[in-house]
Amino acid sequence: MTLHRIALLVIALVLLVPGCDRDAPASIAAIAAPSRFDCVASCVRPNGDTHDVAWQECVLDARLAEENAGAQCAAWRSDAVVNAFAFCEPAHPAACGSCGDGAVELPEACDDGNSDSGDGCSSSCEIEAGFRCGGAPSRCFPIVRFDCEVDCIRGNGDFLSVAWQPCDVDARLAVERAPGVCASWRPDAVVQGDPRCAPSASPSCAWECGDGRLDGPETCDDTNVVPGDGCSSSCALEPGFSCSGTPSVCAPLSRFACTTSCIRPNGDTAEPSWIACETDVRTAEEQALARCQDWAPDAEVNNVVSCAPTVPPSCAIACGDGRVDEPEACDDGNALSGDGCSSVCGSELGFVCAGAPSVCAPLSRFACTTSCIRPNGDTAEPAWTSCEVDVRSAQEQALARCRAWAPDAEVNNFVSCERAVPSECSSRCGDGTPTLPETCDDGNVTPGDGCSADCAAENGYLCSGAPSQCAVICGDARVVGAEACDDGNCDAADGCDHCRVEPGFACAGSPSVCTPL
């Protein structure tokens, strides 16, 4: 699954209860067997680092699986949150496994081959507090609490030594959290020198959200499990709040409208403006240089920075308030799905949204074709369906389509796009109509035939048409399908001629290496 596919399928909600429709009563859905889902989410840290996490869930409904996106981001980095989108789709195989068989199958987090609790992997195949498990059958190790301290420094010279108590298998893993610890003090702070860690006098790492201690993946703990007060029910920092201390004390960040004057060495000037969610106006003002350099890399602040409180003054995020606040991708002033901006303020498939409050419009479907040529003279005319605001943006995809056919191909002088039928851009993989973000749709969800289970062209294949027909690309140095070899060319007398092994040679590998017998 490509990131391009994920980013366009923002907050896609798929309800899969076999034999039931979307409006089935809860009592019917409750007796259905759980299904396995492949899920992906984009995560972001306060320092701007991003990461795409993938996981599997066994639940009745993909919406339930998506609710765990925050926990998956926190498992990557404890201070990470979901960055505006999550996507779940049916996995293959769809069946969920059985605890105690030594195979880790969802919804199991571990499986050590027995049904005993107290050894790190519980009788229900969940990782027990104070342990870390891996492998299949799972091996579990006790986690130890460390007393750590790190020196943090900012670009303006501010300095602070920060202490924390991580729980990890050994101190080396605990030290890896140091950059996040500095960033939790100030987003631009970095580690200075080596962090210092030693086993704690209270080594137990059994933890529970709401006990007032910062343990495990918790980024806050305010002694309760009530969401909306800055520290969530799973002890994760909520957007728009700042939390510190043990127990955590959380306060809403203040919202400032800022503007600055920028100047370049050539005399060009600009006055960018932005909304800042900060502890106070001083930290908001520190963003001025970054805003100037977003405009031009060689720009400097030209002595003027102005920030004033906004109305409303709080940075706590509420979907439906008409403000587009991170991690929202849109906010059209309501919490309804189906209008382009979903009930959780994510852009819906087939729409483009802009502004605040967001105005969403359906994308149009275009049927496009282009002519491609390689340096050796080979040509092709790939066709695709594009969902865009207008035909100009659809045409910009021509080079990518040529390069998908052959990495050294170029556009050969023409691109044609016409409005497709149907003109809407809703999509379902397996319906035989390739619609973005699909790069193919052969009418099924079977992988290995050139068009994958999530309707993406598989490596080594060229797909075109509707339904898509996928053919092996001979000469791309990938051995797929019926190819007996592929040495990166179609030449004869080198052992592999048009992806067939020549008499007197043996070929192996991908790309293929052929040697005389």
Side-chain angles (χ1 to χ4, degrees):
M1 183 184 305
T2 63
L3 182 59
H4 176 67
R5 173 176 175 78
I6 300 163
L8 287 170
L9 292 175
V10 176
I11 315 293
L13 301 179
V14 181
L15 177 58
L16 289 176
V17 180
C20 303
D21 62 23
R22 186 175 300 275
D23 297 321
S27 59
I28 297 177
I31 63 174
S35 296
R36 186 196 303 264
F37 292 91
D38 286 323
C39 298
V40 179
S42 175
C43 310
V44 65
R45 298 180 63 195
N47 65 1
D49 290 349
T50 59
H51 180 66
D52 296 307
V53 295
W55 74 100
Q56 288 191 327
E57 295 276 357
C58 265
V59 288
L60 293 175
D61 184 332
R63 290 173 291 186
L64 300 176
E66 288 174 357
E67 291 175 2
N68 290 325
Q72 297 295 328
C73 287
W76 165 58
R77 290 292 185 269
S78 59
D79 58 351
V81 296
V82 178
N83 189 23
F85 68 83
F87 169 72
C88 292
E89 66 178 8
H92 301 278
C96 301
S98 117
C99 180
D101 61 5
V104 181
E105 297 180 307
L106 285 174
E108 299 172 344
C110 59
D111 194 317
D112 56 359
N114 65 62
S115 56
D116 300 332
S117 292
D119 57 0
C121 187
S122 74
S123 58
S124 58
C125 285
E126 296 176 334
I127 297 175
E128 296 176 309
F131 287 86
R132 179 169 293 173
C133 302
S138 301
R139 296 180 63 198
C140 301
F141 300 92
I143 295 173
V144 178
R145 184 190 300 276
F146 293 91
D147 290 325
C148 295
E149 187 175 32
V150 63
D151 296 330
C152 307
I153 190 167
R154 303 180 64 197
N156 63 3
D158 288 352
F159 178 89
L160 183 69
S161 291
V162 182
W164 81 105
Q165 287 189 314
C167 282
D168 271 300
V169 173
D170 60 42
R172 291 171 299 176
L173 300 177
V175 166
E176 292 177 1
R177 300 193 184 189
V181 171
C182 287
S184 67
W185 167 53
R186 289 291 186 270
D188 61 344
V190 297
V191 174
Q192 184 178 53
D194 294 329
R196 303 169 292 281
C197 289
S200 174
S202 301
S204 173
C205 275
W207 63 276
E208 179 181 1
C209 179
D211 62 5
R213 297 189 331 194
L214 283 177
D215 295 307
E218 296 177 340
T219 54
C220 59
D221 194 317
D222 56 356
T223 71
N224 66 64
V225 289
V226 179
D229 59 359
C231 188
S232 74
S233 58
S234 58
C235 286
L237 179 66
E238 294 178 314
F241 288 85
S242 174
C243 300
S244 60
T246 307
S248 301
V249 176
C250 302
L253 295 172
S254 296
R255 183 180 180 94
F256 297 95
C258 300
T259 186
T260 190
S261 174
C262 310
I263 189 168
R264 298 182 62 193
N266 65 2
D268 290 348
T269 60
E271 294 189 358
S273 58
W274 69 99
I275 298 295
C277 282
E278 302 291 341
T279 306
D280 57 48
V281 71
R282 292 171 300 176
T283 48
E285 289 173 344
E286 291 169 0
Q287 301 175 23
L289 179 59
R291 296 293 169 165
C292 286
Q293 293 184 345
D294 284 344
W295 165 62
D298 58 352
E300 299 290 339
V301 176
N302 192 24
N303 299 324
V304 178
V305 179
S306 172
C307 291
T310 64
V311 178
S314 172
C315 278
I317 295 171
C319 179
D321 62 5
R323 298 180 347 206
V324 181
D325 297 304
E326 292 186 0
E328 295 176 338
C330 58
D331 195 315
D332 56 357
N334 65 63
L336 304 175
S337 292
D339 57 1
C341 187
S342 75
S343 60
V344 291
C345 287
S347 296
E348 295 180 309
L349 178 65
F351 288 84
V352 60
C353 301
S358 300
V359 177
C360 302
L363 295 171
S364 296
R365 186 200 296 263
F366 296 94
C368 300
T369 186
T370 190
S371 174
C372 310
I373 189 167
R374 297 181 65 190
N376 64 2
D378 290 349
T379 60
E381 293 187 0
W384 70 99
T385 300
S386 176
C387 281
E388 303 293 339
V389 176
D390 59 43
V391 71
R392 291 171 298 180
S393 48
Q395 289 174 336
E396 292 171 358
Q397 301 173 25
L399 180 59
R401 296 291 168 164
C402 287
R403 295 283 171 83
W405 165 61
D408 57 354
E410 300 290 340
V411 176
N412 191 24
N413 298 326
F414 81 87
V415 178
S416 171
C417 291
E418 297 179 353
R419 238 173 239 286
V421 178
S423 61
E424 295 80 13
C425 279
S426 59
S427 172
R428 181 175 64 84
C429 181
D431 63 5
T433 302
T435 305
L436 280 179
E438 299 172 346
T439 56
C440 61
D441 195 318
D442 57 357
N444 65 64
V445 290
T446 304
D449 58 0
C451 187
S452 73
D454 55 1
C455 286
E458 296 175 312
N459 286 339
Y461 288 87
L462 176 66
C463 301
S464 62
S468 300
Q469 300 293 319
C470 300
V472 171
I473 303 172
C474 181
D476 66 350
R478 299 186 183 101
V479 179
V480 298
E483 292 180 331
C485 59
D486 195 321
D487 57 356
N489 63 66
C490 295
D491 301 335
D494 60 358
C496 185
D497 179 11
H498 285 83
C499 296
R500 295 186 296 270
V501 178
E502 296 178 286
F505 285 86
C507 301
S510 181
S512 301
V513 176
C514 301
T515 56
L517 295 173

